[in-house]
Amino acid sequence: MNGADVDTGGGVGGTGVAVIADGHDRGGSPGRGPGRGPGRGRHGAGGRGRLMAGLRRRLVKRRIRIRRTRGRRLRRALVVLLALLANLVGAAVVAYHLTKIPEPHPETAMQSTVFVDDHGDYLGRRGPVDRQEIPLSQVPRHVQEAVIAAENRSFRTDTGISPRAIARAAWATVSGGDRQGGSTITQQYVKNALLSPEQTLSRKAREALISIKLDRTRSKDEILQGYLNTVYFGRGAAGIQSAARNYFGVDAKDLTVSQGAALASVINIPSYYEKAGSDPKVTAKLVDRWEWVLDAMAHSGAITSAQRAGARFPAFRFYPPGDTDGQRQYLIDAAASEAADRLGITEDQLARGGYTVRTTFDLTAQDATAELAADGTEKKTGEKTAEEKAADAKAGGKKRAEVKTSGDVRVHTAVVALVPGDGAVRVLYGGADYASQPFNDARDGAVEAGTALQPFSGTKLLAPLTNLTRTAAPTPLRLASAYATAAAHGVYATPYTVAKITRAGRTLYEAHPRTRTAMTRADAGMVAKLLYGRLDAAPATRTGAAGLRTLWQTTYDEHLTLTVALFAEHPAKGKKAALPAPLPYTAGSRSLSVSEGVWSKIVGTAEGHDPAAEPNPGLPTGQTKPILATR
């Protein structure tokens, strides 16, 4: 019965067994019947668990390995890093020792030669660049400190470079950002004077190496001197000496505290600040920077609080400056030729050599001569005033006073003033404008003498005046030298225009009168008697002429000889050459005006000096020293 129940599945018990059996069978048969879900869930969860457990085991093992090998790996990384650093340091050391400090490139080594007058006033320059080297001893300490305050306040203590500035510049180069400066004065000097201005990493690296080596092998004063002699200040001026002249008309050694601070402030943006003094906006901005520099100087003790409080922004020379073609180039031409001859070099070598040529010229008298000569009018026709007739009669006689001219006439005026017994040339007026006429009528022009040589006709002239009376057309300089010989009692002094030549503070040449006897004292006295009318009447005046074509007037005493020569021409037109022309009837008044005006201007500059108070080795015994003789 029990077996029947089980076998047939009948009854409640049988049914339960069948259900259980059926459920077991279905549950145990994957993918079949309703029991598929519960059976698969238990199997999937177990697989994921086993996977996660495996991952955890592997992570644990890995952490253990990392902990066990951490020290070894750190040691390896440190060794690699140290090796890299050692290689870098080694490469830097090798590069440092292989780096040579280059010579300044040619553009930086070039200098100009500056010409000044007898009083030291600036005449002009010759040369490719406006630069002159001077020793640091000629730069006042307050000017040095102003530049340091403006450009590199750690200059006295740094190693020649600024790592921060180098990194900033390198990053700007790599990233394409704005260009960055070298920061230190040493680096700026290396960049400007020793290297090219290109902005590359290799050049920056070389700049840093050279700067470090320069700082280790040169004194700070040597570096500062090189920097001050090469840094650009605007207005075409390279170096502190040229900058002082261009901005203030003085030498660097004469710069005041305010002027020095102003020039130091300009270095930052020279092409912009060079307009200070003529552009109000630029001037205002420069004043702010100037005050910033002075404040830094006061804070560092470079200047006192009283100096800071008393500082006033200096007046700049007008910019752009006028050219020097009008008159000064005549003087520079003459002095340059003579200076080159005295040094035994070419004029081109002189221009590039950085010399200072102190001339014998009196710039005040030269400018007055140009003004007086330009005032003369050239009337073609018409009646003269009573004053003109009187002046013309006094200068050239009645016949000339009645002369009238027609057509275009160009009157040439040549003026020479020199010191008897010394030869120093004070005025050399060779034309109205060098730009239109570079030929110097006073030095090189042959002017028909006529009666201007009559006083020498009865005298025995010795060299170098031997052939003077047979010279139909002497130069105004030669005729003036002859009259100066008479004024010096027969002593001829070779005319000269260069008093002294210096370079970097060292005197290379200094003039001394070169004299010789060219006529006897008695003959000189006869010439003087003819001019004076009576002995010891001063000054003497001689007027001569060659018909109506030329007019000469010479005034002299034993201190000064002044010769004025006038001649006229019809200017060249096209292929038609210039032709001689009669002088206009105003020539006499012009000659007299120039002669009297220049004479009083030169003698007036003596400022009450008594020439008899000092001996003159270039003159005969007992003769006094000429006015304005070479200093």
Side-chain angles (χ1 to χ4, degrees), residues 329-521:
Q329 288 297 341
Y330 288 114
L331 309 183
I332 294 173
D333 271 359
S337 176
E338 184 176 326
D341 182 66
R342 295 291 179 265
L343 296 176
I345 59 178
T346 66
E347 288 192 44
D348 183 64
Q349 290 172 319
L350 177 78
R352 296 170 181 267
Y355 302 94
T356 296
V357 178
R358 190 182 190 97
T359 68
T360 61
F361 302 121
D362 183 337
L363 186 55
T364 300
Q366 182 77 23
D367 290 343
T369 303
E371 185 175 341
L372 289 165
D375 283 343
T377 57
E378 298 174 13
K379 301 175 184 177
K380 299 175 184 177
T381 59
E383 292 298 322
K384 294 175 289 185
T385 65
E387 293 79 3
E388 288 175 329
K389 289 180 179 180
D392 285 346
K394 178 180 179 182
K398 183 177 179 180
K399 183 178 180 181
R400 179 174 302 279
E402 295 172 351
V403 169
K404 298 179 181 180
T405 62
S406 62
D408 294 330
V409 174
R410 180 184 179 189
V411 177
H412 291 253
T413 304
V415 183
V416 176
L418 51 80
V419 178
D422 182 284
V425 179
R426 298 304 177 200
V427 172
L428 192 66
Y429 180 86
D433 185 13
Y434 184 91
S436 59
Q437 180 198 302
F439 184 81
N440 191 323
D441 287 330
R443 185 180 67 163
D444 305 312
V447 183
E448 196 173 1
T451 60
L453 288 176
Q454 279 184 351
F456 301 98
S457 59
T459 62
K460 182 180 180 181
L461 299 176
L462 306 176
L465 300 178
T466 306
N467 299 321
L468 178 65
T469 55
R470 294 192 294 273
T471 303
T475 67
L477 180 60
R478 191 178 186 207
L479 188 66
S481 298
Y483 278 101
T485 301
H489 309 297
V491 176
Y492 174 87
T494 302
Y496 66 97
T497 63
V498 175
K500 182 186 291 187
I501 305 173
T502 60
R503 186 182 187 187
R506 188 164 62 95
T507 299
L508 303 179
Y509 168 81
E510 192 163 8
H512 298 284
R514 292 185 294 172
T515 62
R516 61 184 302 172
T517 300
M519 66 177 70
T520 65
R521 192 177 182 90

Side-chain angles (χ1 to χ4, degrees), residues 179-231:
R179 292 171 56 183
Q180 301 292 323
S183 185
T184 70
I185 283 176
T186 306
Q187 285 178 268
Q188 290 184 55
Y189 172 60
V190 170
K191 179 181 69 175
N192 295 334
L194 309 181
L195 295 177
S196 63
E198 60 181 340
Q199 296 292 313
T200 63
L201 287 176
S202 61
R203 195 204 63 80
K204 284 288 184 184
R206 189 164 179 239
E207 174 188 303
L209 287 172
I210 294 174
S211 297
I212 294 171
K213 196 161 193 174
L214 196 68
D215 189 78
R216 291 173 63 86
T217 57
R218 308 276 176 87
S219 69
K220 290 290 187 180
D221 280 353
E222 288 179 286
I223 296 171
L224 184 60
Q225 175 177 297
Y227 176 77
L228 288 174
N229 277 323
T230 55
V231 66

Side-chain angles (χ1 to χ4, degrees), residues 143-206:
V143 177
Q144 300 176 35
E145 294 301 328
V147 172
I148 291 172
E151 293 297 304
N152 179 197
R153 297 180 184 181
S154 64
F155 170 73
R156 299 286 186 190
T157 57
D158 63 33
T159 59
I161 65 170
S162 170
R164 179 180 298 178
I166 292 175
R168 184 174 63 245
W171 172 251
T173 301
V174 172
S175 63
D178 294 336
R179 292 171 56 183
Q180 301 292 323
S183 185
T184 70
I185 283 176
T186 306
Q187 285 178 268
Q188 290 184 55
Y189 172 60
V190 170
K191 179 181 69 175
N192 295 334
L194 309 181
L195 295 177
S196 63
E198 60 181 340
Q199 296 292 313
T200 63
L201 287 176
S202 61
R203 195 204 63 80
K204 284 288 184 184
R206 189 164 179 239

